Amino acid sequence: MKVDLIIDGGTVVTAAGVMKVAIAVEAGKISALGSRSVLPKAEKVIQAEGKIVIPGGIDPHVHYELYQKGETSPETWDKGTIAAAMGGTTMVIDFATQQKGKPLTEAVKQKLSRAAELSAVDYSVHGTLTDFTDLDKMRAEMKEMIDRGIPSFKEYMCYREEGWYADDWALLAVFKAAQEYGGLVKVHAENVSLIENWQQECLRKGWVEAKYHGVAKPNFVEAEAIQRALSLAEFAGSKVYIAHVSTREGVELVGNTRGKGLPAYAETCPHYLTLTEDLLEAPDGFYYICSPPLRKREDVEELWRGLADGRISVVSSDHAVFTSEQKSKHSAVFTEVPNGFPGVEIRVPIVYSEGVEKRRLSLSRFVELVSANAAKVYGVYPRKGVLAPGSDADIVIIDPKKEKTLDCDSLHMGADWSAYEGWKVTGWPTTTILRGKIIVDGEDYVGTPGEGEFVERKIEDAFIKTV
Ligand code: URP
Ligand code: ZN
Ligand code: ZN
C-alpha cells in the first residue's frame, strides 16, 4: 500500500526537538515519522535535504477587510491568505467585531462566510464584544461562541471613538465569563484616557505629524494597561493573553505574572522586533503608524530576550493592510491615519532570519513561537502546531540558505508599500502543505482559494499550561 506523500531527508523541527526523519502523509494527516526505509512507498516524494521542515505556521492575529478611520482594508480573505501560505502560514485567526445593538453571532457569521468562500488556509475568528449594556446577554453569547468552537475574545482597552472600548467593569465581566465557560481573553492593552488626553494636547499645540503618535502613546500607556489587565484577570481567576506587546515594561510585567505561576500569555509582532520609532519622524512617517506604536532599540532587544526566555509565547503578525493612498489621504493629522502593518507573509521568515539565523532563538523555540504555542493557547493542539502521527499534515519546508530582498512587488500582501523595502532575509519557505495538499511550490501559489476550512477550537488546560 502506498501513502500519498513522503517528505524525505529534511531536518524535522517540532517544539520537542530536531530530528532527521521522513514524514509520511495519508488522507490529509501525518501517518508516520521515521526512517525512510521503514515507511511505506509513496505516490509522491519531496526531497528535503538541506531543508528545515516545520509544522505550518499559525498566525493568531490577522485583520482582513478591516474597517478603520473611514477606510476598509483592501486585504480580502483570498489575497490575505494566499500571502499567508506564501510565507509559511497554514492557519490564521481573524476578528469578528460585534456591532453595538446587534449580536456578536451576526458578526461571526459574516466573517466566517467570507472566509469559507475565499480562504486559502485554515481559519477561525476571535469574537470582539463591544456592547456591554446587558451583561447577562453578553455572557450567554460568550457561552454560545465557546460551545460552537470559538473560545477566544479580543477586547480593547482603548479605541473608544471606534466604539470598540471595554471599560474595566466590562473587561472584568468578560474575564469572569471566560473563566466560567472555558474561554480566553486577548487584550489590546493601552490606557484610553491617557491616549485621548495626550492626543488632544498634541492637536491643541498643532503637533499633527506622525511622530506625535508615539508622543501621545509613551511606553507607560501600554505598561499601565497591561498591569491592569493582568490584575483584573488575576482577580477573576481567569487566563489572560496580552496582544501585540511592544515595550520592555510589558515584557517584564507579563514575565513577573508568569513567574508567580499565573496563566498569563503574550504575543509580540515582527514590526516590534525589527523597526523603531525614529521611522515616524521621516516625511513618510505616517506609513509607520500602528498601535501600540513602534518603540526604541532597548524595547526591541528586551522583546527578543522575552521570546527566548519564555516571557513572550507567540509571534503574531497583527496583519492590517492599508494602501499608500489610504494612509496618505489621512496623513495631515496623525490621529486620523488608519493603523497597522502588512505582516502575514513576512512573519515566519522574519522570525527565522532575525531569530534563528542571528542566533537569538533555537530552532525548537522558533517553532513554538510561530506555530506550536498559538495552537496550544487557542485550542487547536495537537491537531495543528506539531508534526506527529494523527495531526493535520500542515507542513512547511524552509530553505535556510535562500536569500531574499524584500519589496512589495515580490510579496503577495495587498499593500503597494512595504515597511521592509530592501530588507535582506536569509531563509524562506519553499513549500507549504495544507492538510496533505501542496499549496505553495517554490515561488508559486498552486492551491485554490476557498479550500481553507474552519477549525473548531477548544482550549485544553493540559496543553495551554505547557506554554
Ligand atoms: O495598529 C494596529 N494594531 N491595527 C490593527 C488593530 C489592532 O489594534 O490590533
Ligand atoms: Zn489590537
Ligand atoms: Zn490587531
Side-chain angles (χ1 to χ4, degrees), residues 133-161:
T133 43
D134 182 343
L135 292 182
D136 285 336
K137 210 159 132 190
M138 182 204 79
R139 280 187 274 271
E141 279 228 280
M142 284 180 71
K143 182 163 183 339
E144 190 187 333
M145 284 293 120
I146 294 167
D147 291 346
R148 282 174 48 184
I150 301 180
S152 52
F153 302 87
K154 183 183 182 195
E155 296 306 316
Y156 294 90
M157 297 172 83
C158 57
Y159 291 130
R160 189 164 12 210
E161 207 186 308

Side-chain angles (χ1 to χ4, degrees), residues 26-46:
E26 219 181 329
K29 300 269 180 195
I30 293 173
S31 55
L33 273 81
S35 138
R36 178 74 204 276
S37 58
V38 300
L39 294 180
K41 294 211 170 343
E43 296 292 341
K44 182 175 171 64
V45 176
I46 297 178

Side-chain angles (χ1 to χ4, degrees), residues 44-160:
K44 182 175 171 64
V45 176
I46 297 178
Q47 296 296 349
E49 274 86 14
K51 308 269 177 28
I52 292 164
V53 185
I54 66 167
I58 299 174
D59 189 341
H61 192 148
V62 300
H63 300 272
Y64 296 136
E65 300 168 9
L66 172 69
Y67 182 79
Q68 216 199 30
K69 307 279 181 197
E71 300 292 339
T72 300
S73 165
E75 191 73 319
T76 46
W77 270 90
D78 47 350
K79 271 194 286 176
T81 50
I82 289 171
M86 294 301 297
T89 287
T90 53
M91 180 173 176
V92 295
I93 312 183
D94 193 343
F95 301 85
T97 306
Q98 177 185 30
Q99 278 196 289
K100 283 191 198 291
K102 296 201 174 147
L104 173 61
T105 40
E106 206 173 295
V108 169
K109 201 169 142 198
Q110 247 174 37
K111 269 274 168 183
L112 292 184
S113 82
R114 291 289 287 161
E117 189 192 338
L118 296 171
S119 189
V121 299
D122 286 356
Y123 59 88
S124 179
V125 292
H126 309 284
T128 293
L129 297 147
T130 61
D131 190 334
F132 306 104
T133 43
D134 182 343
L135 292 182
D136 285 336
K137 210 159 132 190
M138 182 204 79
R139 280 187 274 271
E141 279 228 280
M142 284 180 71
K143 182 163 183 339
E144 190 187 333
M145 284 293 120
I146 294 167
D147 291 346
R148 282 174 48 184
I150 301 180
S152 52
F153 302 87
K154 183 183 182 195
E155 296 306 316
Y156 294 90
M157 297 172 83
C158 57
Y159 291 130
R160 189 164 12 210

